[in-house]
Structure formats: structure tokens, C-alpha cells
Amino acid sequence: MKRQSDEKTENAFTRTLVYRLYPSKADQVRFQRYCDYRRYVWNEYKDENDHAYQRYRYERTYYAKVGIKVKAKEFCSKYPTFARTKKQVNHDKKAWEYKYPSKIALMAMTDYDNAMSNFINKAMPDWGKPKFRSKRSPRQGFKLPAESLKLNGRTITVAKGRKDKKHGNLVLKSRQSFLDYPIGTASFYTEKGRYYVAVPYLIPKEELKSDDKLKGKAGIDLNVDHYNIYDGKHKLIDLNMRQLKFYYDRIKHYQRLLARKREFDKKNTGSRNYLETRAKLQRDYRRVADIQNDFLQKLVLGLCQKYGQIVIEDLDVKHMKMGVASKGLHRSMFGTFRSILTYKSEQYGNDLVVADRLYPSTQICSKCQYRKTGDEKITLWGNKKHHTKHNEYVCYNCGNNIDRDENASINLYQYLDSKWYKEKSRAEKQMA
């Protein structure tokens, strides 16, 4: 079991836990059919939605060219909304579809409509258009609301289809016990021959753990391969663990084997040796992800239980990518660390402060607050004018000589007392 994500609502805190399931061979077949049915409904709904929109645009363009005036209400009545497309899909429903839970189809259509809304939304420019779902995708799954599920100890029961007289309800077992809280929409999925379910629990705020005695403060500077923490003393968190180095070397070895096989014979990528090597590569990637997630969960938990106030940077990770260095950037897990720290801070009652993205924590001296500008700035290659190294901070005002990352962590520790923060707060009050 692993924690996937947590979200905060008005009266409850939503915590999503992922359980591994161990279905029998017969239940595996039914599980896969449910995944296939969701994929079928998604593709049918997408096809119907695309055709309806094409007809709408064609008729509107045709009437404009011919010069026929049509009222706006008539065009609006033909626009492919969720209700109209859903009605058309249900009208064309086949007889065999009634053997599957109807909520699977409803959730598939709802998810497609939400994905299309995010694609149209200008505030989400990186959200792509919903695509056709292929059966060759390595991850298949389906969703069901709480009313179609029943949790009892270590088993989760899925309601069967209305006209499925051959089977009973689908009962799936796990090695961990399910919690006794109200749940939301559960996501079932299979990946790499394993079966999982993500269950969101609605935990009341009164039952959340919080400690009012936390008085410590820490500034955390995130860097490639390591984190710097300052709470009065410096602490270095190394992300290149010995266990991870072993798996990174094996991943590199398997990737080379696959590349050589593809170079030797591009058509022979479905051979037994190729598939076995690819399975080993996927296994090591999965182990690396599990180790990293476990490490971050324990690290953030310790921070939240020790410090009452935590200050971090608002990093623009997307524009920090630089060729080969992007691999180390990805392995440093800046986004994952911040998301875990955000919801755990809400759970344990910590004050999480995110420093402004333009705050120059690297260029300010932590001793005299002198700020480097122009040719004096520190870059990834150091400073050419004064011939300093990239990991060395030398203040030209007071002579302070300190490690660059340690200096940044001290500045984050002092962020709330800095001139930068006070001027920003004053400007925000004037704008309000």
C-alpha cells in the first residue's frame, strides 16, 4: 500500500491510498473486460463528440457562405454538449453492454468531458486534447463511484452489471485492510501484470494529527542530487543513495541492450529476449520509483513533525531543463517533494511558506544582505570576473566565504525578515 495524493476539502481531508489486489485467474479476466469496456466507451464517446462538432461547424460555415440567416439558438441546440452526446451514446447502446456496470460508462464519459474542458481552458496551456485509448497502452483501468463499491476488511466488492446473470459481484482481495472512512470515486487499474485500486478516504478534520507545540523553523534549498536544510545548523540530504545507484547502473545496462537489439534488427522488437529485457527494465524503473517515494514520504514526515514553519523556493522547473542535466533534475523530484510537503503541512498544522519565484536567494549574502548584480552574479559556471567556482559564494562587501547552497538555505530561513518580503507585502497591501 502506498499513498498517492491528499487533498483538503471544507469539512474533510481527502487521503488517497493505493492498494495492490490479488484476483484469481477468473477475476483477472473480468477485471480486464471492465478495463476494455471503459476504453470502448471512451473511444465511442470521443468519436460521437468529434462527429457532432464537425457537423456543427460544417452547417454553420455552409449557412454563412450561402447567406442564410439562422438564429443563434438553433446553432446552440446542435452544439455537442455533455448531455446531448451522452444521450446519443446511450441511445446507441448495444445489448451486451448491459452485462457491465453502467457506472463505468458514466465515469468514462465524465472523465472525457473534464479532459476536454481542461483542453479548452486557456489557463491550462499544456493540457493536450483527449486522445484515442489503445489496448496496447501499458496501463488499463476503470473508475467506479462509492455507491458501486463495498469495503469489508481486506476485500473490495464491485457491483455486477444489471443483466449479467452468469457472474456474481466481483470480489477482489488485498493484503492490507481498508480504512473505515467514507470514500469517493475509486480507480482500478492494471500495470505490468499487477492489479491496483486507488481509494480516496474522506477523513474528518477533527481526527487529523496536529501538534501546537511545534516552534522550530527551517529553510530548505532544493538542488540537483541533494537538499540543503538550515534550522540554525546545516544539514545535507543526499539523494544519490547507494541502493539507487545500483538500479541506475542496471537501467543503463538494460537500455543499452534494447538499443543494440533495435539497431541490429528493427523488426525483431517482439522477440522473446527483447520482451524479457524490457520487462527487467520496467521492473527496475518501478523499484526506483518506490524507493524514491518511500524516501520522500519519510523525509517530509520528519520535517513536519519537527518544524512548525518551513520555507521553500517556488522553482520554475520547466525552464530549468538543460540537456544532459535534465536527468539529474528529474531524479531530484522537486515537484513531488513540494506536493508531498504541501498536503502533509496541512495535515500536521505546519506553516508552509513558499518564497517568491524572483527572490534571489543565491545572490544575497546571508551575513550582510549584500546582493550581487550584473557581472558579479553567480552562475552555474561560477563567476568569470572574480574567478569563483559555481558552488562557492564570496561576498564582495563583507568577505563572507560560504558554500553557495548553504548560503541559499540560510536566506530562505531568514526570508520572512528580509527586505524583499517586507516590500512585497507592502506592495500587495497597496494593491488591495
Side-chain angles (χ1 to χ4, degrees):
M1 179 184 68
K2 56 184 179 180
R3 183 175 291 105
Q4 190 181 45
S5 63
D6 288 18
E7 296 177 359
K8 193 174 182 181
T9 59
E10 294 182 358
N11 300 318
F13 195 88
T14 303
R15 172 174 294 177
T16 303
L17 301 181
V18 180
Y19 299 85
R20 184 178 175 184
L21 303 175
Y22 298 87
S24 61
K25 291 185 177 180
D27 292 338
Q28 289 179 13
V29 174
R30 291 186 64 188
F31 192 102
Q32 189 61 48
R33 288 180 177 174
Y34 283 4
C35 297
D36 295 341
Y37 179 57
R38 172 185 166 82
R39 187 180 67 252
Y40 167 80
V41 174
W42 172 283
N43 293 334
E44 285 291 315
Y45 185 79
K46 179 182 182 303
D47 187 59
E48 180 63 32
N49 193 75
D50 291 345
H51 282 302
Y53 186 67
Q54 289 174 5
R55 290 195 299 268
Y56 165 78
R57 290 194 61 182
Y58 174 78
E59 291 181 9
R60 188 166 184 173
T61 307
Y62 174 77
Y63 288 137
K65 286 183 179 180
V66 175
I68 301 176
K69 294 184 179 180
V70 183
K71 294 183 180 179
K73 292 183 178 180
E74 297 185 12
F75 280 124
C76 293
S77 63
K78 296 180 181 179
Y79 190 82
T81 60
F82 173 71
R84 295 191 187 101
T85 311
K86 175 188 170 185
K87 183 178 180 181
Q88 184 63 34
V89 171
N90 290 334
H91 179 268
D92 299 336
K93 203 170 184 179
K94 313 292 190 305
W96 57 268
E97 294 186 52
Y98 291 97
K99 295 182 180 180
Y100 296 93
S102 60
K103 297 296 183 181
I104 294 180
L106 178 62
M107 296 304 301
M109 291 186 283
T110 304
D111 288 346
Y112 179 86
D113 190 62
N114 293 335
M116 199 66 186
S117 300
N118 294 333
F119 169 67
I120 298 173
N121 189 0
K122 293 182 179 180
M124 308 178 71
D126 296 333
W127 195 283
K129 186 178 180 180
K131 297 181 180 180
F132 177 85
R133 295 293 177 89
S134 173
K135 64 179 180 181
R136 295 185 179 182
S137 177
R139 180 168 177 168
Q140 304 286 342
F142 61 94
K143 293 183 180 180
L144 283 173
E147 56 266 20
S148 300
L149 304 172
K150 183 180 180 181
L151 304 180
N152 185 13
R154 298 182 179 181
T155 61
I156 181 170
T157 305
V158 179
K160 65 175 184 177
R162 182 159 55 93
K163 293 187 178 181
D164 187 7
K165 299 180 180 180
K166 184 178 179 180
H167 305 95
N169 294 331
L170 179 60
V171 181
L172 303 171
K173 296 182 180 180
S174 176
R175 291 181 181 176
Q176 292 86 23
S177 299
F178 295 97
L179 303 182
D180 189 17
Y181 290 107
I183 65 172
T185 301
S187 300
F188 297 81
Y189 63 94
T190 175
E191 189 175 17
K192 300 181 181 68
R194 298 185 178 185
Y195 300 85
Y196 303 92
V197 58
V199 183
Y201 296 100
L202 304 177
I203 303 176
K205 290 183 180 180
E206 296 78 15
E207 300 185 20
L208 296 179
K209 298 179 180 179
S210 60
D211 190 358
D212 298 333
K213 298 180 181 179
L214 295 174
K215 297 181 180 180
K217 184 173 72 170
I220 305 176
D221 181 53
L222 307 181
N223 303 284
V224 176
D225 297 335
H226 66 277
Y227 298 160
N228 287 81
I229 302 175
Y230 182 80
D231 59 350
K233 296 182 180 180
H234 293 289
K235 186 177 182 181
L236 181 68
I237 305 297
D238 188 11
L239 301 180
N240 286 331
M241 293 172 283
R242 192 173 183 180
Q243 193 176 9
L244 283 178
K245 290 182 179 179
F246 169 75
Y247 284 115
Y248 287 152
D249 292 339
R250 282 214 317 199
I251 287 173
K252 186 176 181 180
H253 171 68
Y254 290 140
Q255 286 177 334
R256 285 181 174 178
L257 289 180
L258 292 178
R260 288 170 185 170
K261 290 178 184 296
R262 288 193 297 267
E263 184 179 1
F264 179 74
D265 188 1
K266 294 182 180 179
K267 297 181 180 180
N268 198 24
T269 54
S271 64
R272 182 176 179 180
N273 289 336
Y274 185 90
L275 295 177
E276 286 181 356
T277 307
R278 189 178 67 177
K280 293 178 182 177
L281 177 64
Q282 293 173 345
R283 176 199 61 192
D284 286 350
Y285 269 124
R286 184 169 62 248
R287 288 178 178 175
V288 166
D290 292 341
I291 293 172
Q292 290 175 333
N293 182 68
D294 180 70
F295 174 77
L296 286 183
Q297 292 285 349
K298 293 178 180 177
L299 173 64
V300 174
L301 179 62
L303 294 174
C304 292
Q305 291 178 342
K306 186 177 181 180
Y307 305 111
Q309 188 178 72
I310 302 174
V311 185
I312 61 173
E313 293 179 289
D314 185 15
L315 297 174
D316 188 7
V317 180
K318 184 177 180 180
H319 294 90
M320 292 173 64
K321 299 177 182 178
M322 299 184 305
V324 180
S326 299
K327 182 183 291 185
L329 188 68
H330 174 73
R331 290 175 177 177
S332 300
M333 304 168 291
F334 294 160
T336 307
F337 175 82
R338 178 174 173 177
S339 63
I340 296 175
L341 182 61
T342 300
Y343 73 72
K344 281 193 181 294
S345 298
E346 293 176 351
Q347 177 182 354
Y348 287 89
N350 305 88
D351 181 18
L352 178 61
V353 180
V354 181
D356 187 71
R357 181 169 291 185
L358 300 178
Y359 177 63
S361 60
T362 309
Q363 309 298 335
I364 297 177
C365 176
S366 58
K367 191 174 183 180
C368 66
Q369 301 300 311
Y370 172 75
R371 178 181 176 183
K372 295 183 179 182
T373 57
D375 297 338
E376 296 181 350
K377 280 187 175 182
I378 304 177
T379 63
L380 295 176
W381 299 272
N383 184 272
K384 294 182 179 180
K385 181 180 179 181
H386 299 276
H387 306 287
T388 57
K389 299 179 181 179
H390 75 282
N391 60 342
E392 181 183 15
Y393 186 90
V394 179
C395 180
Y396 310 131
N397 183 41
C398 66
N400 182 28
N401 192 341
I402 191 175
D403 182 80
R404 166 182 172 166
D405 298 331
E406 291 181 2
N407 179 72
S409 62
I410 297 176
N411 285 328
L412 291 173
Y413 179 80
Q414 302 171 350
Y415 175 71
L416 295 179
D417 300 326
S418 64
K419 296 181 181 178
W420 182 282
Y421 179 75
K422 292 178 181 178
E423 291 177 357
K424 181 187 174 184
S425 301
R426 191 182 304 113
E428 290 179 351
K429 290 180 180 179
Q430 292 177 357
M431 292 291 291

